[in-house]
Each structure stands twice: as C-alpha cells, then as structure tokens.
Amino acid sequence: MGKKLSLMALRSLIINGERKLLISAAIHYPRSVPAMWPELVKTAKEGGVDVIETYVFWNVHQPTSPSEYHFRWKIRSGQVYKNCPGGWDVFNPSDWTHLLQLNGILVLFICFSSLSFQLCTNRGIPVWLHYVNGTVFRTDNYNFKYYMEEFTTYIVNLMKKEKLFASQGGPIILSQVENEYGFYEGAYGEGGKRYAAWAAQMAVSQNTGVPWIMCQQFDAPPSVINTCNSFYCDQFKPIFPDKPKIWTENWPGWFQTFGAPNPHRPAEDVAFSVARFFQKGGSVQNYYMYHGGTNFGRTAGGPFITTSYDYEAPIDEYGLPRLPKWGHLKELHKAIKLCEHVVLNSKPLNLSLGPSHEADIYADASGGCVAFLANMDDKNDKTVEFRNVSYKLPAWSVSILPDCKNVVYNTAKVTSQTALVEMVPDNLQQEGGSKAIKWEVFVEKAGIWGEPDFMKNSFVDHINTTKDTTDYLWYTTSIVVGENEEFLKEGRHPVLLIESMGHALHAFVNQELQGSASGNGTHSPFTFKNPISLKAGKNEIALLSMTVGLQNAGSFYEWVGAGLTSVKIKGFNNGTVDLSHFNWIYKIGLQGEKLGIYKPEGVNSVSWVATSEPPKKQPLTWYKAVLDPPAGNEPVGLDMLHMGKGLAWLNGEEIGRYWPRKSSALGKCVTECDYRGKFMPDKCLTGCGQPTQRWYHVPRSWFKPSGNLLVIFEEKGGDPEKITFARRKTSSICSLIAEDYPSADQKSSQEAGSKNSNTKASVHLQCPQNGVISAVKFASFGTPTGKCGSYSVGECHDPNSISVVEKACLNKTECAVELTEENFNRGLCPDFTWKLAVEAVCS
C-alpha cells in the first residue's frame, strides 16, 4: 500500500491518516558528495528534521544536449559506476531519494523544472537551451516549454519507475514547479501569465499522486499550492483557503559573493521566525539551506557567488553541525512537536497581551492546551500576564507552552551548546611524507595558443562565444608604436582604457601582465584604467576576459552578456587611439584546459618543469604536486590565502574557483550581532577587509591513501609554497545558561510538558565524534560575561565552579550540570540572576 497523502483544509498535510506539522531541510545532492550523504542525513534527522528538500538539477543531468542524460547508478545496491559521456561524474537523484527513504525521511518538493536554482549558474537551466533558435526562457515560448516538459517528464518517470512518490509507497510527498516567478511574470506580459498557468497544468498532468506547489506565485491556479519564500512568513496566507500554509524557503543565512563581507543571521532570529510561523497556523517549514555545501567546479552562479555555498546553514559546508544554530533549532523542533496534536486539532484564539505582545492559544476537545506567547518589540523585554501567571518575554522572542503553563522553549534563550571551530593548518606532505614539496609548473602563453578560433573587427559577447564551456576568452590584437611618440622619449606610460560588461579581466602587453579589474556581485560591468608599457614597433595586446558564474536572476536574465565593449589607449601624440575596431583575434579557453592537464589521464600532455622553488607572482601558471592526504579524519579545506585567482583540482575532481578577494565594505561590519528586529542580508556583516573565502572544501573521499594529484591554475600570480591544507576541527565546546532559561529537559522532550516549574536549567555539553571532555578551560557560576572562547568572571563568582563542572564532565562524552544549590553557592550574590558559563576541550 502506498502512503496516503491528502490536504486538511487550513491546517496541514495528512500522511497515512495523520495530520503533521513538518520540519523540512534543504540539502542538495550535487553540492556534497555521496560519501557525505549518510552523515548529512543522520545529522539532519538528529536535528529534528522530518523531510529533506532537494532539487533535480537540469543543467547537471542534461548539460550538453537534449539527447543526453548524465547520472551515476546505483549507490543503494552497492554498485557505483559511471554512465556519463564526456567524463561527467554526477549523481542519480533516485539514489539520494532512496537513501532518505531508508532513513525514514520524507522528501519535499523535488523541483523538476530546476527553475528554482536561483543561485546555480544560469539558474540551473542548461546553457545549450539558450542557443536553440527562437528560445526565450520562462515565458510562453514553444521551445522552452517543449524542453522543460520533456525533462520534467523524464525525471517524473524515473521516480515513478523507482516507486518513489508517496502515492506508490515512496518518500516524495510534494513536488514543485517553477520558483519565485511571480516577481518576474509581469515583465513578460501576457506571455508570462500563460506560461505560469501552463507550468502548473503541465506539472499536475504528470499524475504523480502528490500535490504540486509554486513558490511566490501570486496568481497560482487552484490545482497547485502557492507557498512563501522569505526571512519571515508568519503573515503569509495561501491564495485559496482550502490549502495548507507552507513556507518553502526560510533563509537561515545568505549566500556570499567574492569581494563582499559575509552575512550572518543569528540563531535567535531564525528560531523566532519559525516559531511565529507555526504560531500563526503554518504547517510545513523548509530551511533553505539546512546544508548548503559547495559549488564545486564552475557551478556557482550569481555572477560572483563564491565556491562555498555554506549559507550559514545549521549544517556547515563541511558537514558539521553549526553551533549553536543547529542545536537551538533542534530544541525548537522538539518543542513544536510537543504541540503538534493540539495545534492540528483546534482553532487558534488570539489574545492581545499589550502593544506588540500577543498570545495564540490552541485548545482541543480532550482538554489539551498549547500557547505561543510573542513579543514583537525589537528593543524592549516585557513581562506579560497570561492566565494569572507572569511570563518574561525577551524582545523579539516567542515562548512555547505545550500545556499553556510551562515554558519549554524561548527563541531568544539559547540553551544548547556552542562551539569554537577552527581551520587547523596541515602543511602539504609530499608523497612518502617529505615536507619539501616538489612542485612542477607549466606556463600558458598570454594570448593565442595553437590556431586562432576566429578573427573579427569588433568585439563579441563572451558568453555567446564560450557557451560556458570555460570561464576564459582571449581577445588579442596588436598596435604599432612609432619611435617619435613623446611618451617614449619622456619615459611616460600611456593609459589602457577598457570597458567591459563583466565579469573580470587580466590585461597583458607583450606577454607582461599590466593589471586586472573586475565587477562585483551587485554590478558586473567594470572599467579598467591602467598605465601600460609600450615599446617602439609592434606591441601585442592580449586581454583575458573571464566569467565568474552566469546570471541567474531577473527577467530575461539569459540575455545578460559579458566581455569587452571598448578598448582605447590614451597618451599618443595624436590623442587617444580607439582599438575597438581593430582586427581582433579570439581564442576560447586555456591550453591546459583543452589538454585536460588537471586530470590524471591528461597530466602528461604538456612538458612540466620541476622546481624546488616554484615561481611566485607569476601569472598564467599551472602548478602540480603529488601529495599524501592530510592527517586525521576531519573535513579538509585548501587554504588559498596567498594565491591570486584561479581554479583547483584534486585527482581530477573540481574543487572549484578560488579567489581570496578581500571585502572592501569597511565600516559596515559588526563585532556583535543584535538578533532583535527584522533581518536583512546587510544587517550582520563580518569579515570586512578580509578575503570573502579563504578555504575551499576538498571532500575526504576524493583523497587516495597516497599519490594525490593537486593541480592549480593561477591567473595573476601567487605564492604556491604557502598553499596548505587545513582540517576543520572543534577546538572548544561551550555553554552559557541563566537560571531563568526554559527548564524542560529537551533530551527527554516527550516528558517536557509534564515538567514542573521546580526543574532547574542545565548546561549540557557533548563532544563531537564520540570524543571525551579532557579539560575544563573556564567555568563560572555567578554573573559571567562574554562568549565562547572569551568568557570572563563577573561581579559574582562561585570559586568552586570549575571543580563542580570537572566532577560532572571530565572523561565523559557528554554531561549535564544543573544550576542548583546542591552544586553552587547561590548565597554569594542573592540579588542577581545567576548564570553558568562553561568552556571545555574535547579529545
């Protein structure tokens, strides 16, 4: 028998006859590797997740033409082999879905059209489709609809064959078509309206037996469920009153772009948004992302989105729980589940508790009662009266009372542990253990290598020329300088002026790098203006234009171009020389790319030069070394702080673009983030003046026991001797709890509703990976201040704090310390709210 799935008016999905409040987590299988999948699923499940949302990546599975589908088969049966022409090594979405099914996880809204990949290059649509004559994306266009339906049908049939829909007994409970099209539909006029209606009809006609949803689709027809994407969706209402309230994208952080500071969304605010959503009748909530992972290779979009797709998600890019966010949300999920039955079997009663303060109360026929108490004031704490009991509500917080009496959770009070996670350097080890790395180098020619691809007396669009087969396009020409030019006699330098639609550029004159320029994540076009060295006679001008991911948002985004639009040289006797209509010679890509010298099977296609001292600050240089893997079993990153910009591979696997470009947003960053008030991506920025991304994830499964081929292509010059691996390691675990924090033992959440008010708050510590607590670095019961790694003793302090914590925790994997009079001397400062702060080390 298949899973029975239906909709309950106003409230929820019904699965196998049970009404459910569902917590969903976005984890995208191509942004991690199969070796990581089991642990990612385990960590999500331990975090209280019921459902995992994933995309089916159209551009990954049909990258080169409509006649080829690329998959890897079959992980679940123990047989992993490649069926991928052109050397592709990608994943089968059915394998990922089967893994979730084996772990008792449901699957939410597989996005069959792949049009919701707003942060995947070209929005997840294969580039070849743009070059099918007459095609316009995302409107009432025959070609686009034909290929979209063809791909959708192919994937639906693949899932049906594997019996993966809930109607067949499988885990897929919802499917999605399109994404946030409502923001752009108006630009396409009536064609946009017709396309949106067609997309819904096409999806429903697939007869999957599960509902289809459309996100931010303001004119969605009644055959689908319209849903919300935002930082907050508590006020969202479905178009049709018989549809459940679903939040398909709750952004727990934000993406990063090269050259910009890093955004952070506090755990307290994420929790507040989720609690408010369920308080106001929400039924399904999905974190986009719960694990963001990595944009391996050149898959990042934007343009300028980083190789890291960490998203400050509850599980970090490397697969580790991000604390305290993961733990704080885990406790929230437990609290919500305590309320599930009552909330889904009653109607809410809203009660005002004062300006910006309210309660939503659910009471069922059996006497069950649930209350959500909310303080929407973003500055002031408030004590409210509810059912003749006083409750203190911190600003911008929700308290959850699963019995209308006891607070088991408050979104602003983080009771779960936090941690210090560091990237610990691990110097590259030559194969065999030698620390003296034997680098070999190959230098690209600046300009045309081999035969030219074509010539033209004008500029061509970069993307239309490369069709995204490479980031690189050479524009080359020459200019003859007469001996009578004044700048030669006076030792002056003429100025090269270049206008480009994006994204980046390196300018060479006579094989020498003259300078670089680029756009950024908010404005791709840029101007290059730099003095250059010219000689009397013929001068070769070679301009390397680069893309950094394709456009992935906006109306008609597939028509956004890149590349040069104007080249001039200022400073000649006769004024400025315009080279724009000179004879330009073009070459697509790099010689090393064409020969595949980053792959084990192609590495000997060129003559490498061995050197004990690899060149530094040398542009257009390939570096390779054969290495042992880093020690230990922690996740690994490649530290590229001292390199310029380029690409990296390990054993032929694409690590991705690296660019330790520093953020220029000085003065916009904060040292402490105030969780109170509505979040926007520029609210809590860090890393000003620092590289946006320094470390690049290298999955452990890519390493062999020895003989690992590391290949780097450096565009503008760096110091390869300073490249290191780094192991991502938890250096300390911490907790800071106050006596007025919710007292429910969330490790026994099923009992939480019956806990009485005499239960004391506790510090809970747990070492990762079954380690044990080997030392207590700090402990203070009293009024400690600070944060993990920098706690300090306050005005009041129990001198026995460390000994109490050591007795409870040393040599244990996990421990709990209650804030009780049996453990601590509360009489030292009776007028204070007591806290306990602990920092411990695991080994």
Side-chain angles (χ1 to χ4, degrees):
M1 290 291 291
K3 287 184 175 66
K4 294 180 180 178
L5 185 88
S6 62
L7 304 179
M8 178 188 175
L10 301 176
R11 296 300 302 126
S12 73
L13 299 176
I14 302 175
I15 301 174
N16 288 335
E18 294 186 55
R19 298 165 182 149
K20 293 289 185 181
L21 295 180
L22 295 176
I23 304 294
S24 177
I27 302 177
H28 297 164
Y29 55 91
R31 286 181 166 130
S32 58
V33 295
M36 295 173 64
W37 291 356
E39 193 64 27
L40 290 174
V41 173
K42 177 185 175 185
T43 305
K45 193 171 181 179
E46 289 177 353
V49 166
D50 308 297
V51 184
I52 285 180
E53 172 261 301
T54 193
Y55 290 158
V56 178
F57 287 65
W58 189 359
N59 62 330
V60 169
H61 295 303
Q62 206 178 34
T64 56
S65 78
S67 61
E68 292 183 349
Y69 289 88
H70 296 179
F71 297 100
R72 172 189 277 181
W73 307 79
K74 295 273 191 189
I75 291 171
R76 65 182 181 282
S77 65
Q79 297 175 325
V80 180
Y81 60 91
K82 297 178 183 178
N83 185 22
C84 306
W88 276 77
D89 186 15
V90 295
F91 311 121
N92 181 354
S94 67
D95 287 338
W96 170 242
T97 309
H98 273 289
L99 176 65
L100 302 180
Q101 185 178 32
L102 290 172
N103 283 271
I105 297 287
L106 300 172
V107 181
L108 184 57
F109 44 84
I110 289 187
C111 304
F112 290 106
S113 74
S114 300
L115 297 180
S116 40
F117 302 165
Q118 61 268 42
L119 302 178
C120 179
T121 193
N122 206 41
R123 205 175 178 89
I125 301 174
V127 172
W128 58 259
L129 183 54
H130 178 53
Y131 299 102
V132 175
N133 191 38
T135 300
V136 181
F137 289 1
R138 305 181 83 194
T139 188
D140 186 17
N141 174 271
Y142 175 82
N143 288 343
F144 185 74
K145 294 193 300 181
Y146 174 84
Y147 288 110
M148 175 175 162
E149 182 170 10
E150 181 180 67
F151 179 76
T152 301
T153 302
Y154 185 94
I155 298 298
V156 166
N157 288 340
L158 175 66
M159 297 298 167
K160 284 182 177 179
K161 181 180 178 181
E162 300 284 338
K163 299 188 184 303
L164 291 174
F165 288 102
S167 56
Q168 301 172 294
I172 302 175
I173 60 171
L174 288 174
S175 302
Q176 176 181 316
V177 65
E178 258 296 348
N179 188 71
E180 298 181 346
Y181 187 65
F183 294 137
Y184 311 112
E185 181 181 306
Y188 297 93
E190 290 300 314
K193 292 181 180 180
R194 291 194 300 270
Y195 165 71
W198 169 86
Q201 180 275 327
M202 182 273 294
V204 173
S205 71
Q206 298 291 329
N207 296 315
T208 61
V210 302
W212 285 82
I213 61 178
M214 297 182 80
C215 314
Q216 300 296 101
Q217 190 60 47
F218 312 121
D219 58 357
S223 57
V224 300
I225 307 168
N226 72 299
T227 67
C228 181
N229 291 359
S230 183
F231 289 111
Y232 308 92
C233 281
D234 49 290
Q235 299 304 311
F236 166 76
K237 292 182 180 180
I239 296 172
F240 302 99
D242 62 341
K243 298 293 194 289
K245 180 173 176 174
I246 297 177
W247 189 358
T248 37
E249 289 189 18
N250 179 2
W251 307 312
W254 201 240
F255 60 89
Q256 301 164 285
T257 57
F258 287 117
N262 292 323
H264 298 277
R265 188 180 183 192
E268 297 94 327
D269 182 62
V270 181
F272 174 78
S273 71
V274 176
R276 286 286 291 166
F277 178 71
F278 285 106
Q279 176 180 355
K280 293 299 181 181
S283 63
V284 181
Q285 189 272 165
N286 177 61
Y287 297 104
Y288 183 101
M289 303 292 296
Y290 195 78
H291 165 71
T294 306
N295 291 312
F296 294 112
R298 300 187 308 107
T299 59
F304 293 97
I305 290 175
T306 56
T307 301
S308 171
Y309 198 60
D310 181 83
Y311 228 86
E312 215 196 30
I315 302 176
D316 72 17
E317 178 183 5
Y318 295 82
L320 303 180
R322 170 170 276 109
L323 303 175
K325 187 173 284 185
W326 178 85
H328 193 45
L329 296 175
K330 173 184 178 179
E331 303 307 318
L332 171 61
H333 303 157
K334 289 180 179 180
I336 289 170
K337 290 299 183 178
L338 291 175
C339 305
E340 182 177 50
H341 178 79
V342 174
V343 166
L344 291 176
N345 286 278
S346 57
K347 293 183 179 180
L349 171 67
N350 181 262
L351 177 66
S352 174
L353 301 175
S356 301
H357 314 108
E358 65 178 3
D360 283 282
I361 307 153
Y362 296 83
D364 65 15
S366 66
C369 186
V370 166
F372 295 84
L373 311 184
N375 179 0
M376 288 84 74
D377 190 315
D378 61 7
K379 295 181 177 61
N380 303 302
D381 297 349
K382 177 72 173 181
T383 299
V384 299
E385 294 292 321
F386 176 69
R387 295 194 170 188
N388 300 317
V389 177
S390 295
Y391 294 90
K392 185 176 181 180
L393 296 177
W396 202 252
S397 77
V398 177
S399 285
I400 299 176
L401 292 66
D403 58 0
C404 285
K405 296 178 182 178
N406 295 302
V407 176
V408 300
Y409 186 88
N410 178 272
T411 59
K413 297 181 177 181
V414 180
T415 61
S416 60
Q417 75 179 30
T418 187
L420 289 180
V421 179
E422 298 178 337
M423 299 300 288
V424 180
D426 192 306
N427 291 331
L428 303 185
Q429 296 283 331
Q430 186 73 32
E431 183 181 19
S434 171
K435 293 185 178 180
I437 302 301
K438 297 177 183 177
W439 288 102
E440 296 181 58
V441 300
F442 169 71
V443 182
E444 293 261 346
K445 179 183 177 182
I448 304 302
W449 52 270
E451 294 296 321
D453 286 320
F454 60 93
M455 293 181 286
K456 199 167 185 179
N457 292 329
S458 60
F459 295 125
V460 297
D461 180 83
H462 181 131
I463 297 169
N464 287 340
T465 304
T466 65
K467 295 181 172 57
D468 197 40
T469 57
T470 173
D471 283 354
Y472 303 105
L473 177 63
W474 282 106
Y475 296 68
T476 67
T477 192
S478 62
I479 184 170
V480 176
V481 175
E483 294 181 353
N484 63 343
E485 291 292 341
E486 291 297 325
F487 67 78
L488 293 175
K489 299 175 182 179
E490 298 176 4
R492 292 184 290 106
H493 293 282
V495 176
L496 180 62
L497 302 169
I498 302 173
E499 299 290 335
S500 174
M501 293 184 289
H503 303 147
L505 174 90
H506 303 310
F508 294 83
V509 175
N510 299 323
Q511 297 292 307
E512 296 293 328
L513 179 64
Q514 305 295 305
S516 304
S518 67
N520 56 54
T522 57
H523 189 69
S524 295
F526 64 89
T527 299
F528 175 97
K529 182 178 181 181
N530 215 59
I532 59 173
S533 297
L534 295 178
K535 63 184 180 181
K538 186 177 181 180
N539 293 264
E540 300 289 343
I541 311 293
L543 307 176
L544 182 58
S545 175
M546 292 159 288
T547 51
V548 191
L550 301 189
Q551 189 76 24
N552 54 23
S555 305
F556 304 101
Y557 71 89
E558 73 271 25
W559 301 96
V560 176
L564 310 187
T565 57
S566 172
V567 176
K568 299 177 182 178
I569 300 178
K570 181 181 179 181
F572 286 88
N573 292 350
N574 293 330
T576 298
V577 176
D578 190 344
L579 281 65
S580 301
H581 295 286
F582 275 37
N583 184 38
W584 288 90
I585 305 173
Y586 292 88
K587 190 67 180 179
I588 298 170
L590 308 169
Q591 183 180 6
E593 275 187 309
K594 180 72 173 179
L595 297 174
I597 66 175
Y598 51 86
K599 303 175 185 177
E601 62 270 24
V603 70
N604 294 321
S605 300
V606 298
S607 296
W608 296 85
V609 177
T611 175
S612 59
E613 295 185 10
K616 301 176 178 61
K617 305 300 179 184
Q618 179 171 287
L620 303 179
T621 302
W622 293 83
Y623 299 91
K624 80 175 178 76
V626 180
L627 309 168
D628 284 337
N633 60 2
E634 300 93 347
V636 176
L638 187 67
D639 187 349
M640 302 300 278
L641 177 63
H642 298 284
M643 298 300 285
K645 179 180 179 295
L647 299 166
W649 297 263
L650 182 78
N651 295 325
E653 303 282 3
E654 297 178 286
I655 297 169
R657 299 184 183 102
Y658 69 84
W659 192 4
R661 184 182 186 184
K662 292 183 178 180
S663 162
S664 60
L666 297 176
K668 294 184 179 180
C669 288
V670 298
T671 54
E672 294 288 338
C673 182
D674 187 349
Y675 74 88
R676 300 173 300 177
K678 288 198 171 182
F679 178 81
M680 291 298 288
D682 61 353
K683 180 181 179 181
C684 293
L685 300 175
T686 63
C688 288
Q690 300 297 317
T692 305
Q693 185 176 356
R694 173 177 174 176
W695 293 279
Y696 297 80
H697 182 208
V698 187
R700 276 279 182 183
S701 61
W702 288 1
F703 286 94
K704 301 183 294 185
S706 63
N708 295 282
L709 177 65
L710 177 67
V711 177
I712 308 293
F713 173 65
E714 172 56 47
E715 297 171 9
K716 61 181 183 177
D719 186 353
E721 290 188 304
K722 292 183 179 178
I723 296 173
T724 66
F725 288 126
R727 290 177 289 138
R728 191 162 180 82
K729 195 170 184 178
T730 300
S731 57
S732 293
I733 56 174
C734 303
S735 184
L736 193 158
I737 301 293
E739 62 180 339
D740 62 349
Y741 277 25
S743 58
D745 179 6
Q746 294 288 358
K747 290 178 69 64
S748 305
S749 62
Q750 295 303 314
E751 302 174 8
S754 63
K755 295 281 183 180
N756 61 50
S757 58
N758 294 322
T759 306
K760 301 301 181 183
S762 302
V763 159
H764 289 270
L765 298 175
Q766 183 173 0
C767 289
Q769 299 180 333
N770 297 316
V772 296
I773 295 172
S774 57
V776 178
K777 294 180 68 174
F778 180 91
S780 176
F781 179 79
T783 56
T785 59
K787 59 184 180 180
C788 187
S790 59
Y791 290 134
S792 59
V793 172
E795 182 178 342
C796 289
H797 168 67
D798 186 336
N800 295 319
S801 298
I802 285 186
S803 62
V804 170
V805 175
E806 286 179 336
K807 181 179 179 181
C809 297
L810 279 183
N811 301 314
K812 296 180 180 178
T813 297
E814 59 182 302
C815 64
V817 183
E818 285 192 341
L819 279 68
T820 62
E821 295 182 2
E822 289 78 8
N823 286 329
F824 301 102
N825 184 358
R826 296 174 57 86
L828 293 174
C829 296
D831 296 331
F832 286 87
T833 297
W834 286 86
K835 300 177 182 178
L836 174 59
V838 178
E839 180 180 356
V841 177
C842 297
S843 60

